[in-house]
Amino acid sequence: MTLPAVPPISFQDIATELRLLPGEGLSFSWDNVKRLLGMSRLHPGPISLSDFLGKTRPWWGLVPVRSNDIVGTTWYSWNQSDGGLAAAVDPYFGNMPITAIMSTVSASGSDSIINFQSDPGFRNNIKAQLLDDNYNVVREVVLTYNAQAGVQWRSATLGGGDTSTCLFIATGIFTINLIKL
């Protein structure tokens, strides 16, 4: 769902977009409210209802990224089978599970991919954002539907050790947003 682009807008609209359960309440000082608005969690405010017009909550989660090295190539990945902190099923992607998010780094070609369990039913590009602890964007890549794989979105592949299309370039637990363009 996307919030209304023109008034009126209600607290209930915002709570629904944030996927809050009935009766959970809502505060404009909450981190997820600021994240929905694309603001740093340190943003002091003020925040008004009009700031929410046209906003959409993307898929977001924490992903524990591990690495694997084989002969000059490093894979940084989160796989659904690893468990971890990511809420891999979300209405934003039609409740289709994300099974892997990976970046490959090598001199011959570096890129990133996102795999779904099966076809999520859209072909939009996906903007993947790696965020710092305050929800500021640290890295951002755009992934395009890969028709040959059918359930995969892939960034451009760049050679020469260029990692600018890699979402991950290290191991750790990362906060990410995935946004349909």
Side-chain angles (χ1 to χ4, degrees):
M1 177 182 137
T2 298
L3 290 168
V6 295
I9 189 169
S10 69
F11 282 95
Q12 183 56 51
D13 293 332
I14 297 164
T16 300
E17 187 65 17
L18 287 169
R19 298 166 184 74
L20 300 177
L21 297 173
E24 274 193 269
L26 176 69
S27 170
F28 284 179
S29 65
W30 288 355
D31 287 349
N32 281 348
V33 169
K34 292 178 182 179
R35 190 169 180 181
L36 171 64
L37 293 173
M39 296 176 174
S40 168
R41 66 173 23 155
L42 301 177
H43 188 279
I47 295 172
S48 70
L49 280 173
S50 64
D51 294 327
F52 293 90
L53 293 172
K55 298 294 183 184
T56 300
R57 181 201 182 274
W59 182 92
W60 61 39
L62 290 170
V63 291
V65 174
R66 59 188 174 92
S67 69
N68 187 10
D69 294 305
I70 300 176
V71 191
T73 300
T74 303
W75 288 270
Y76 295 101
S77 63
W78 170 80
N79 290 293
Q80 186 182 45
S81 60
D82 295 335
L85 306 171
V89 177
D90 193 281
Y92 185 72
F93 288 134
N95 292 316
M96 190 53 55
I98 297 168
T99 58
I101 305 170
M102 177 172 43
S103 295
T104 304
V105 177
S106 76
S108 62
S110 300
D111 62 6
S112 294
I113 64 165
I114 295 173
N115 287 331
F116 289 88
Q117 186 173 40
S118 60
D119 189 344
F122 68 90
R123 299 296 178 259
N124 308 56
N125 288 347
I126 297 173
K127 182 187 327 181
Q129 298 176 324
L130 184 71
L131 308 176
D132 68 14
D133 290 340
N134 293 315
Y135 299 146
N136 298 305
V137 177
V138 176
R139 295 184 70 79
E140 182 174 278
V141 299
V142 174
L143 303 107
T144 303
Y145 175 68
N146 180 355
Q148 293 174 332
V151 295
Q152 182 183 88
W153 275 250
R154 182 176 221 121
S155 69
T157 301
L158 301 176
D162 185 341
T163 60
S164 60
T165 61
C166 294
L167 184 60
F168 306 123
I169 57 171
T171 60
I173 297 176
F174 298 105
T175 304
I176 64 170
N177 287 343
L178 300 177
I179 303 163
K180 288 188 289 188
L181 299 178

